[in-house]
C-alpha cells in the first residue's frame, strides 16, 4: 500500500465537518506556521519538498511562490484554481466534495506564506453542489477563528471567498481565471507581466491548483524533506489520478510518483486491469490535452525501460514516443475504441472552448473539428491526414495561452501512432458508417485491408 497524504482521512465518518476534521489533526499546519514559522520559512519548506503544480504544468510550487513581488508594497493574493474542466479529470472535485477542510487549511497556510490577506477559490460553475460544501466549510473555519482578523492572536488577517466561474474551460488558464475573477470576459493575458508581479487587480498573485494547495499542510506538518523522500527523482510526493475508461476500477487514486504504469493499470489496489477480455489499445495519461500512446508504448518506453507514473518517465522520448502526466486524467481504451472518433470528440471540445482571441486557435480548432468529422463520418479525402498535420502545426506554439497546444497535440499524436486507422476510415467509408464499427470488427482484424502505400 502506498503512502496517503491527501486521501488518508477521506473515509473517516463525518470528515466533511469541522469538528471531525479538527479532531483528526486538522488545521495543525496553520498553528505551526503562524506560531512557529516565518512566511519565508514556509516557502522554503515547500521549495525543499519539490512539490510541483498538480494542475498539469508541473512547475515547482515553491519556486512559483518565491517569485511573488514583495517589494512593491501592494496587497498580495492567493487564488486557488478549482476550475477543473479538463476532460478525463475529476480528482479536485473529489477532494473538495469529501474533505473540504483540507483545501481550506491549505489556503490559510499558503496565504500566510505569501503574505496574502485576501484569497479566493475560483470554482467551475458546474460544481455548484461543491461550492455549497466549500461555503459551509469556510463558515465553520471562520467561526472557529481560523479566518478573519488576528488569526490565533498573531496579527495576521485573512479573508477567503469562493467565486463561481461561468463554465468556461479557458478559465483554467491562470490569467484568464484572473480576468474572470475581476468580472471580465475570461481571455488570457499576454505574459509578461506574470501574475506574481501583476495579477488580480494588478496586485502580486499566485495561482495554484486544488491538489497543489491541499498538499501544503502535510509538508508544513512533516517537513519538505520528508515529502521529497516520497516519489522518484524530481517527481516527489504523491499524485491524485482520475482513472476512467475500459478498466475494472474507475475512480480517484492517490499514488506515490514512480509507481509503474503496469502496476497502476493491473493491480487490484488501483485499476484492476481491463474491464473485459478485450486487449488494451491506447491510453491518455494526463487528460485530453496530452498525446495518446499506443499499447506498445504504455508499459515500456521506446528504449525498453519500465514506464513509470512520473513526470519524467511519461514524457520519455518526447512527443515522438512519450506523453505527459498532465493533470492525471488517466483514460484507457480497449480495441473496440475508435481513435478517429475520440480525436474528433476532443477537437470538438477545444473548438467549443476556444476563447477566440488568437486566430490560429479560433480558426484552426474549427478546421480540425470539421476535417475529423468528415473522416469519421465516411467523407474523408486522401489529403485530409496531411491537412490535419498542417493545421495543428500552425496552431502549436502560436497562441497566447496553451489551449492551442492542448488542441493540437492530441491530433498530432493520434496520426503519429494510428495513421493507418485514419487511412482505413478514408479508404473504406462504408465500413465505418456504423458508429460501433470497431466493436464488431476491431481495427486489428481489418488492418490487413490497407496497402503499405501511404495516403
Amino acid at each position: 500500500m502506498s503512502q496517503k497524504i491527501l486521501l488518508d482521512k477521506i473515509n473517516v465518518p463525518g470528515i466533511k465537518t469541522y469538528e471531525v476534521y479538527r479532531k483528526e489533526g486538522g488545521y495543525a499546519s496553520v498553528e505551526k506556521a503562524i506560531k512557529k514559522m516565518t512566511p519565508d520559512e514556509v516557502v522554503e519548506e515547500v521549495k525543499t519538498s519539490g512539490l510541483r503544480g498538480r494542475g498539469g504544468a508541473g512547475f515547482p510550487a515553491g519556486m512559483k511562490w518565491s517569485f511573488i513581488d514583495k517589494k512593491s508594497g501592494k496587497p498580495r493574493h492567493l487564488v486557488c484554481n478549482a476550475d477543473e474542466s479538463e476532460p478525463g479529470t475529476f480528482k479536485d472535485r473529489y477532494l473538495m466534495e469529501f474533505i473540504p477542510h483540507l483545501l481550506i487549511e491549505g489556503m490559510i497556510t499558503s496565504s500566510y506564506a505569501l503574505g496574502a490577506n485576501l484569497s479566493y477559490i475560483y470554482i467551475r460553475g458546474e460544481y455548484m453542489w461543491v461550492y455549497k460544501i466549500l461555503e459551509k466549510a469556510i463558515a465553520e473555519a471562520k467561526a472557529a477563528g481560523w479566518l478573519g482578523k488576528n488569526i490565533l492572536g498573531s496579527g495576521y488577517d485573512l479573508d477567503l471567498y469562493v467565486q463561481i466561474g461561468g463554465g468556461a474551460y479557458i478559465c483554467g488558464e491562470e490569467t484568464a481565471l484572473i480576468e474572470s475573477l475581476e468580472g471580465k470576459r475570461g481571455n488570457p493575458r499576454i505574459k509578461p507581466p506574470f501574475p506574481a508581479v501583476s495579477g488580480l487587480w494588478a496586485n502580486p498573485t499566485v495561482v495554484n491548483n486544488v491538489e497543489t494547495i491541499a498538499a501544503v499542510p502535510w509538508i508544513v506538518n512533516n517537513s519538505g524533506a520528508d515529502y521529497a523522500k516520497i516519489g522518484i527523482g524530481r517527481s516527489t510526493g504523491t499524485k491524485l489520478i482520475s482513472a476512467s475508461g475500459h478498466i475494472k476500477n474507475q475512480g480517484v487514486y492517490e499514488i506515490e510518483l514512480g509507481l509503474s504504469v503496469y502496476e497502476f493499470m493491473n493491480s487490484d489496489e488501483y485499476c484492476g486491469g481491463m474491464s473485459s477480455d478485450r486487449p488494451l489499445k491506447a491510453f491518455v495519461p494526463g487528460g485530453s490535452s496530452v498525446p495518446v500512446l499506443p499499447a506498445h508504448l504504455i508499459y515500456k518506453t521506446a528504449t525498453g525501460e519500465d514506464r513509470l507514473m512520473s513526470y519524467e518517465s511519461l514524457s520519455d522520448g518526447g512527443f515522438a514516443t512519450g506523453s505527459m502526466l498532465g493533470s492525471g486524467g488517466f483514460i484507457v481504451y480497449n480495441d473496440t475504441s475508435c481513435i478517429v472518433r475520440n480525436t474528433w470528440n476532443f477537437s470538438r471540445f477545444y473548438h467549443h472552448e476556444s476563447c477566440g482571441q488568437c486566430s490560429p486557435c479560433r480558426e484552426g480548432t474549427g478546421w480540425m473539428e470539421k476535417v475529423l468529422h468528415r473522416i469519421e463520418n465516411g467523407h474523408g479525402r486522401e489529403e485530409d491526414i496531411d491537412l490535419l498535420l498542417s493545421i495543428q502545426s500552425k496552431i502549436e506554439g502560436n497562441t497566447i495561452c496553451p489551449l492551442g497546444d492542448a488542441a493540437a497535440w492530441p491530433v498530432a499524436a493520434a496520426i503519429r501512432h494510428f495513421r493507418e486507422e485514419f487511412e482505413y476510415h478514408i479508404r473504406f467509408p462504408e465500413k465505418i458508417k456504423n458508429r460501433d464499427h470497431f466493436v464488431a470488427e476491431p481495427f486489428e482484424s481489418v488492418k490487413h485491408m490497407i496497402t503499405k502505400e501511404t495516403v
Side-chain angles (χ1 to χ4, degrees):
M1 295 289 287
S2 63
Q3 184 165 354
K4 297 292 187 291
I5 287 175
L6 302 173
L7 304 185
D8 182 41
K9 308 283 188 181
I10 205 159
N11 292 320
V12 173
I15 197 67
K16 277 186 183 181
T17 65
Y18 171 77
E19 291 76 13
V20 175
Y21 184 76
R22 178 65 175 153
K23 184 179 179 181
E24 292 292 327
Y27 292 96
S29 72
V30 179
E31 284 186 291
K32 181 177 180 180
I34 289 179
K35 291 183 176 180
K36 299 180 180 179
M37 303 172 73
T38 66
D40 286 345
E41 286 173 339
V42 178
V43 173
E44 284 303 312
E45 286 295 336
V46 175
K47 287 177 74 173
T48 300
S49 73
L51 173 67
R52 295 167 69 167
R54 302 303 198 216
F59 190 82
M63 186 179 297
K64 190 175 188 178
W65 288 11
S66 68
F67 294 156
I68 197 165
D69 177 16
K70 297 179 180 178
K71 297 178 181 178
S72 66
K74 293 181 177 180
R76 297 169 223 155
H77 307 289
L78 172 64
V79 178
C80 174
N81 184 349
D83 190 71
E84 185 177 47
S85 306
E86 180 86 354
T89 308
F90 42 90
K91 41 89 178 181
D92 289 344
R93 174 199 61 76
Y94 189 73
L95 272 179
M96 293 185 289
E97 183 174 1
F98 294 108
I99 188 164
H101 281 280
L102 179 61
L103 175 59
I104 307 306
E105 179 180 357
M107 286 295 294
I108 299 168
T109 305
S110 302
S111 295
Y112 170 75
L114 295 167
N117 301 113
L118 176 60
S119 296
Y120 290 91
I121 299 171
Y122 182 96
I123 190 167
R124 64 180 295 197
E126 293 87 346
Y127 282 173
M128 185 56 69
W129 82 99
V130 183
Y131 160 77
K132 293 176 182 178
I133 291 171
L134 289 177
E135 284 279 85
K136 182 179 179 182
I138 288 173
E140 290 176 333
K142 189 170 185 177
W146 300 105
L147 287 167
K149 300 290 184 183
N150 195 26
I151 299 172
L152 300 181
S154 65
Y156 174 65
D157 305 333
L158 176 64
D159 289 319
L160 177 62
Y161 299 98
V162 185
Q163 175 62 41
I164 304 169
Y169 172 76
I170 192 65
C171 290
E173 194 278 332
E174 61 179 7
T175 61
L177 186 157
I178 290 170
E179 286 282 292
S180 178
L181 195 52
E182 291 179 353
K184 294 177 280 187
R185 178 186 169 95
N187 281 359
R189 297 175 180 175
I190 294 175
K191 295 182 283 191
F194 291 90
V197 175
S198 180
L200 185 63
W201 301 305
N203 294 328
T205 305
V206 167
V207 182
N208 276 134
N209 168 266
V210 171
E211 184 185 349
T212 312
I213 293 172
V216 171
W218 193 96
I219 292 169
V220 170
N221 286 332
N222 295 274
S223 83
D226 283 349
Y227 188 87
K229 292 175 184 176
I230 305 168
I232 183 170
R234 293 193 302 114
S235 295
T236 62
T238 66
K239 178 80 183 76
L240 295 183
I241 304 295
S242 312
S244 63
H246 294 127
I247 51 175
K248 288 180 181 176
N249 307 324
Q250 300 177 354
V252 176
Y253 298 99
E254 184 173 10
I255 65 166
E256 291 185 17
L257 287 167
L259 178 75
S260 73
V261 174
Y262 181 86
E263 183 177 350
F264 181 69
M265 269 282 297
N266 295 287
S267 70
D268 291 336
E269 183 181 351
Y270 300 111
C271 298
M274 301 298 287
S275 57
S276 68
D277 58 359
R278 305 304 314 181
L280 174 63
K281 178 175 182 176
F283 94 134
V284 172
S288 64
S289 61
V290 309
V292 64
L293 286 180
H296 71 278
L297 290 173
I298 293 176
Y299 297 141
K300 298 285 185 180
T301 66
T303 56
E305 298 178 357
D306 287 343
R307 182 83 74 182
L308 307 178
M309 298 289 287
S310 71
Y311 291 95
E312 290 73 31
S313 183
L314 283 168
S315 63
D316 185 87
F319 282 177
T321 59
S323 185
M324 298 169 65
L325 179 59
S327 60
F330 193 91
I331 311 170
V332 179
Y333 305 96
N334 68 21
D335 68 341
T336 66
S337 302
C338 176
I339 297 299
V340 177
R341 186 191 304 123
N342 182 76
T343 308
W344 165 61
N345 205 33
F346 283 168
S347 291
R348 200 159 54 97
F349 172 81
Y350 287 110
H351 178 212
H352 182 270
E353 295 297 338
S354 172
C355 75
Q357 186 175 195
C358 306
S359 56
C361 183
R362 180 183 67 245
E363 304 298 331
T365 53
W367 295 343
M368 288 194 301
E369 180 195 345
K370 290 174 183 176
V371 174
L372 285 162
H373 178 268
R374 73 181 180 219
I375 294 175
E376 170 59 17
N377 285 275
H379 305 293
R381 308 165 186 171
E382 290 193 356
E383 63 270 21
D384 279 347
I385 300 176
D386 289 330
L387 176 60
L388 283 169
L389 289 173
S390 175
I391 295 169
Q392 71 83 29
S393 70
K394 290 175 174 59
I395 301 173
E396 183 181 357
N398 292 312
T399 54
I400 289 174
C401 86
L403 188 143
D405 296 341
W409 292 338
V411 173
I415 296 173
R416 182 184 306 120
H417 297 302
F418 298 95
R419 185 174 183 123
E420 287 183 320
E421 195 167 313
F422 284 81
E423 294 174 0
Y424 177 78
H425 277 67
I426 293 168
R427 296 185 186 187
F428 303 99
E430 73 283 354
K431 289 275 191 179
I432 53 88
K433 285 185 178 179
N434 175 5
R435 188 181 184 280
D436 297 322
H437 45 269
F438 287 155
V439 175
E441 291 184 313
F443 181 65
E444 285 299 316
S445 69
V446 295
K447 190 177 179 179
H448 65 278
M449 297 173 65
I450 305 174
T451 66
K452 293 184 180 178
E453 300 174 5
T454 57
V455 173

